[in-house]
Amino acid sequence: MDRTRVVIIGAGIIGAACARELALAGFDVLVLDRAGAAAATTSHGEGNILVSDKGPGPELELAQLSRRLWPEVLAALTERTSPEEVDAVEWDPKGGIVVATTAGGAEALLPFAAAQRAAGVRAEAMDSDALTSAEPFLTERRTAAVHYPDDAQVQPAGAATALLADALRAGARLRTGREVLGGVTRGSRLTAVRTADGQVEADVFVNAAGPWSGEVARRLGVPLDIRPRRGEVLVTTPLPPTVFHKVYDADYVGAVGSGAGDLQTSAVVESTRAGTVLLGSSRRRVGFDDRTRPEVLSAIAAKALKLFPSLAGVHVMRAYGGFRPYVPDHLPVIGADPRLPGLWHATGHEGAGIGLSVGTARLVRELLTGTAPAIDASPFRVDRPAVLGGPPTVTEAPNSPPHTAPTTEEGP
């Protein structure tokens, strides 16, 4: 029997994880990307694998699944490849600390952590002495703190590359510079996508194009409300050991869950293996406008200094930004599109795609094969009201080709 042919649109970490999972399961997998592997959103992230920022509900369940799977995936990679490739992932289960610096922040943080504990999250309240011991350079102006031992970090491009390389070892193929321009249907089913280099046929197509997923869906003839939400990060010069966990203020959870389009910032501070310190984060909806705004960087730096005053005077060597795939109800979109048989989606993770990637890939594989999913996948279904409207025109990528709906081939 011929193997099921799957085309994955997008070679970021979600596409890479899906390619690996499906290739190892025996599917015939081809990955298409309009640019290069891990070249867009994935390479502009911080590499967070978090449970700390998610309240009880479907996204937390997906995060918990993914957090369990990450060590298993890395162990499997270790058996099949070189130590250098696995080392490039920079897996660091260093844990996270959420800090409140106001009375109101403490009043929100502590009940939030209690609800997470009831959902199975390890969330440990810290007294002042424990906090000072864990983060000696942290501000003394703090009203509450919670330690999340299961928060972790990877180098995002390294992690995506390792997952994709494992998929290629399992037989998957990669074609870069292949932008999807439209679709071809036979009857009501999507049977091919069109690129500048010709048609690519398959049995199943997985839209894993991140912030561009809405545009890809539109070109295939089905609206999908995935919008870009921009974020920026500052990177310091290498420092002596200064930050030992992922540390962020309690406002971060509210910023993640907000749907506001104007600028929001919160302090997120963490070190990398190279000794640099990453300072985030911002969220704003500006379409695909990729201009760096000095006022945004200033706001990020000011919030970071409130948590770590000792960073004053430290040199920033670069700043970068990227687009997160935003969904109005803040849940990923995972599963088959009932409006266009043959089309599936794995997108809409906003800033959590690195952490949720391996769990998302597991769900895609289970749903495709008819296996009972590890968690309830119905909250992520495509046909929910929040995602069916399609993004407004303002969010489309500049200089994008004109709308090209699917063409139809006559056939049985």
Side-chain angles (χ1 to χ4, degrees):
M1 179 181 295
D2 292 338
R3 293 186 299 164
T4 301
R5 299 170 300 168
V6 178
V7 166
I8 295 174
I9 304 168
I13 198 162
I14 298 295
C18 289
R20 175 185 178 274
E21 189 80 28
L22 295 178
L24 290 172
F27 289 85
D28 180 8
V29 176
L30 172 64
V31 182
L32 301 180
D33 197 280
R34 67 177 190 166
T41 294
T42 294
S43 63
H44 294 88
E46 294 176 84
N48 294 326
I49 299 174
L50 304 182
V51 294
S52 55
D53 62 341
K54 300 169 182 64
E59 189 183 25
L60 177 58
E61 293 176 8
L62 182 57
Q64 291 169 309
L65 170 64
S66 296
R67 181 59 180 84
R68 292 193 299 271
L69 289 176
W70 265 109
E72 297 177 13
V73 168
L74 294 173
L77 288 176
T78 300
E79 294 178 357
R80 286 195 291 270
T81 188
S82 66
E84 292 78 15
E85 186 173 305
V86 178
D87 191 56
V89 176
E90 296 187 14
W91 169 256
D92 188 357
K94 59 187 171 184
I97 297 176
V98 184
V99 180
T101 57
T102 64
E107 290 175 0
L109 172 60
L110 296 177
F112 181 78
Q116 290 175 304
R117 282 193 293 272
V121 175
R122 292 198 294 165
E124 305 161 353
M126 306 178 75
D127 61 26
S128 184
D129 289 342
L131 185 55
T132 298
S133 177
E135 292 291 343
F137 298 99
L138 188 69
T139 179
E140 294 183 359
R141 300 181 61 182
R142 62 274 186 119
T143 54
V146 178
H147 178 219
Y148 291 87
D150 294 322
D151 279 359
Q153 183 182 16
V154 293
Q155 205 295 327
T161 301
L163 294 173
L164 187 56
D166 206 33
L168 299 180
R169 276 189 294 272
R173 291 158 292 139
L174 171 67
R175 294 181 189 170
T176 56
R178 300 292 199 276
E179 183 170 3
V180 171
L181 303 176
V184 176
T185 60
R186 181 169 303 216
S188 63
R189 187 175 187 84
L190 181 66
T191 59
V193 293
R194 292 186 289 107
T195 75
D197 297 290
Q199 294 184 10
V200 181
E201 297 183 348
D203 304 302
V204 173
F205 299 83
V206 180
N207 177 11
W212 295 272
S213 296
E215 174 65 14
V216 168
R218 185 180 71 86
R219 294 179 186 184
L220 297 178
V222 288
L224 191 72
D225 197 351
I226 306 287
R227 313 179 192 188
R229 198 181 192 195
R230 185 163 175 80
E232 287 88 3
V233 175
L234 300 173
V235 186
T236 74
T237 54
L239 302 175
T242 304
V243 185
F244 302 92
H245 302 77
K246 178 185 176 66
V247 183
Y248 61 86
D249 68 39
D251 293 340
Y252 177 78
V253 174
V256 170
S258 170
D262 56 346
L263 173 65
Q264 297 178 73
T265 59
S266 54
V268 183
V269 183
E270 60 190 319
S271 62
T272 69
R273 185 178 296 182
T276 59
V277 175
L278 307 181
L279 309 177
S281 69
S282 65
R283 278 173 164 77
R284 54 196 177 103
R285 291 217 307 271
V286 291
F288 282 102
D289 182 351
D290 62 358
R291 289 173 293 179
T292 299
R293 302 289 187 181
E295 66 272 18
V296 175
L297 304 183
S298 295
I300 292 171
K303 288 283 182 75
L305 287 175
K306 288 184 178 180
L307 274 187
F308 286 90
S310 64
L311 293 177
V314 169
H315 292 288
V316 171
M317 65 178 182
R318 68 185 180 98
Y320 62 89
F323 299 103
R324 307 175 179 97
Y326 166 82
V327 180
D329 65 359
H330 305 286
L331 287 177
V333 183
I334 304 170
D337 194 320
R339 302 165 298 175
L340 184 59
L343 177 62
W344 288 58
H345 301 285
T347 185
H349 301 80
E350 199 171 338
I354 304 297
L356 301 180
S357 58
V358 292
T360 295
R362 181 61 55 87
L363 284 185
V364 169
R365 190 258 289 168
E366 290 169 339
L367 293 170
L368 263 174
T369 58
T371 306
I375 62 173
D376 181 10
S378 62
F380 311 117
R381 68 188 186 277
V382 179
D383 59 344
R384 61 187 202 262
V387 298
L388 288 185
T393 303
V394 71
T395 69
E396 294 175 6
N399 304 316
S400 61
H403 172 58
T404 51
T407 58
T408 302
E409 292 183 345
E410 295 298 325

